[in-house]
Amino acid sequence: MKKRFLASMFAAVLVLGMMGCGNNASEESSEPEAAEETTEETDQFDDTTVTIFAAKSLNGVVDELISMYNETQPNVEIVTSYDSSGTLMEQIEEGAACDVFFSAAQKQMDQLETDELVVDGTRANVVNNQVCVVTYKDSGTGVTGLENIADAESFALADGSVPVGKYTRQAMVNVGMLPEVEDVSVITTQEVSDALSGIEINECANVGAVTAAVAEGSNEVGTVYKSDTYGLEDQLEILEIVSYDLTGNVIYPIAQIVNEEADDLQKEAALDFIRFLTSDAAKEVYEKYYFDTDVE
C-alpha cells in the first residue's frame, strides 16, 4: 500500500511539473506577438511634410480625412491646395511642388501621365460623384432640372475647363440643348447662354464658387456636385440629380506626383497617405459626404 501511495504521489508531481512548464511556454510564446502588435500600432514616420493638390469639391472630406490620418501619423504634416482640377494640373505642369494629386476628373490625371509626372503604379480611382441642379432654399424657382434651366433668371456655371462645368456641358449635349462637339470643355459660357435663350450666366472658376453663388442667393440656380451640398442642406435645395447616362461617370482619381524636391521619407509618407485615402476606413467618410464609393 505504501509503495502504491508513493507511486501515485510521484506521478502527481510529474503531471503538475509538466503543466507548469506548459503554462510558462505558452506565456513566453505569446509575448513576442504582443510586442510585435504594439510596434505595428505605434510605427510612425519621422517629421515630414506631404503636399496634396485636391479638387475644390474634396475640401471638406479631405480635411476630415487628414485629421483621421494624423491620429496615427502625427509627424506627417499634410499641406493642402484646393482649386479646380484644371488649375491644379497646370500648376503641377509648371513645376509646383506637389506630392499627391486628387482630381475630380480623369482628363487632368491622364494629361499628367502623358507628361510623365505621375509615379507609376500609384494611380487609383477613389470615388464617383453626381452633378446636381440646385437652387437656394425658398427661391420659388420654376426650374425643375436641367431641361428647363433656361427659365431661371440667372445660372451659376463653372468654366468648361473645370470638371463640373465640363460634365454639365456634356449632359446638355446629350439632351440636345447644345450641339455635339468633339471636346465639350471648349464650349464657351457665351455659347451656353445663347443656346439657353440668352440666360444670364455667372461663369465661376471652380465648383466652390458655384456653390457659394447659389447658397448666398446671388444666382437662382447652378450645377454642382452632390457632395457639395453636404452641410448646406438648410441653404440649398437639389432640383435634379443628373443621371450618369447624361454626364458619364464622374470618377475622382488619385496618384503620387513626381516631386524632384522630395526626399525618400517624404515620398514614402506620400504613398502611405494615398493608401489611407483609398482604405475602407476612408470609404465611410466619403459616403458621409455623399460620394459614391462603388467604383472600379
Side-chain angles (χ1 to χ4, degrees):
M1 290 291 293
K2 184 175 181 181
K3 288 182 180 180
R4 289 178 184 174
F5 174 76
L6 289 174
S8 299
M9 287 291 293
F10 182 69
V13 169
L14 283 177
V15 170
L16 289 171
M18 291 176 66
M19 288 177 64
C21 291
N23 287 339
N24 290 336
S26 176
E27 288 172 4
E28 289 173 1
S29 64
S30 65
E31 286 177 3
E33 291 180 10
E36 185 176 344
E37 287 176 6
T38 303
T39 300
E40 289 177 356
E41 288 175 4
T42 58
D43 189 17
Q44 296 176 352
F45 288 99
D46 291 333
D47 291 346
T48 190
T49 300
V50 170
T51 299
I52 179 171
F53 282 17
K56 184 65 178 174
S57 53
L58 290 164
N59 193 326
V61 67
V62 168
D63 279 352
E64 182 166 335
L65 288 168
I66 288 171
S67 295
M68 288 177 60
Y69 180 71
N70 284 147
E71 290 176 6
T72 56
Q73 293 293 349
N75 301 324
V76 181
E77 180 186 2
I78 308 295
V79 176
T80 58
S81 179
Y82 297 109
D83 210 324
S84 76
S85 299
T87 298
L88 296 172
M89 178 198 72
E90 291 175 359
Q91 291 174 356
I92 293 170
E93 289 179 320
E94 291 168 1
C98 172
D99 300 299
V100 178
F101 181 43
F102 202 165
S103 176
Q106 303 277 25
K107 178 180 178 180
Q108 288 75 21
M109 192 69 79
D110 290 344
Q111 182 60 52
L112 291 180
E113 278 198 318
T114 300
D115 297 336
E116 298 184 347
L117 291 171
V118 171
V119 177
D120 289 342
T122 65
R123 179 172 176 174
N125 293 334
V126 186
V127 293
N128 209 338
N129 213 341
Q130 288 182 283
V131 174
C132 296
V133 180
V134 296
T135 188
Y136 56 92
K137 283 291 186 181
D138 302 320
S139 67
T141 183
V143 175
T144 57
L146 198 63
E147 290 197 48
N148 69 334
I149 206 165
D151 293 342
E153 290 186 4
S154 61
F155 175 21
L157 174 66
D159 178 78
S161 66
V162 180
V164 73
K166 174 181 176 291
Y167 290 122
T168 299
R169 287 164 171 78
Q170 184 63 65
M172 288 181 169
V173 168
N174 287 337
V175 296
M177 299 169 69
L178 292 172
E180 291 190 16
V181 293
E182 185 173 345
D183 181 4
V184 296
S185 65
V186 303
I187 299 174
T188 67
T189 299
Q190 185 59 53
E191 288 173 327
V192 176
S193 176
D194 292 342
L196 299 178
S197 305
I199 186 176
E200 176 190 334
I201 295 182
N202 173 18
E203 182 179 281
C204 298
N206 54 56
V207 71
V210 176
T211 305
V214 179
E216 294 167 0
S218 299
N219 295 114
E220 186 175 331
V221 296
T223 51
V224 300
Y225 295 122
K226 187 177 181 182
S227 62
D228 293 301
T229 67
Y230 175 81
L232 295 174
E233 292 84 356
D234 60 339
Q235 295 176 260
L236 290 175
E237 178 184 347
I238 296 176
L239 299 172
E240 178 189 14
I241 298 176
V242 184
S243 72
Y244 290 134
D245 291 339
L246 296 179
T247 62
N249 284 321
V250 186
I251 300 293
Y252 285 53
I254 194 170
Q256 185 173 5
I257 298 300
V258 175
N259 184 357
E260 301 295 345
E261 300 177 11
D263 58 21
D264 289 342
L265 174 62
Q266 185 174 334
K267 291 175 182 177
E268 182 55 36
L271 189 57
D272 186 67
F273 185 48
I274 290 175
R275 292 192 194 103
F276 173 74
L277 292 177
T278 55
S279 67
D280 288 340
K283 279 186 178 182
E284 295 181 10
V285 183
Y286 293 124
E287 289 168 357
K288 184 179 79 171
Y289 280 80
Y290 306 146
F291 285 96
D292 179 1
T293 59
D294 185 17
V295 296
E296 295 182 358

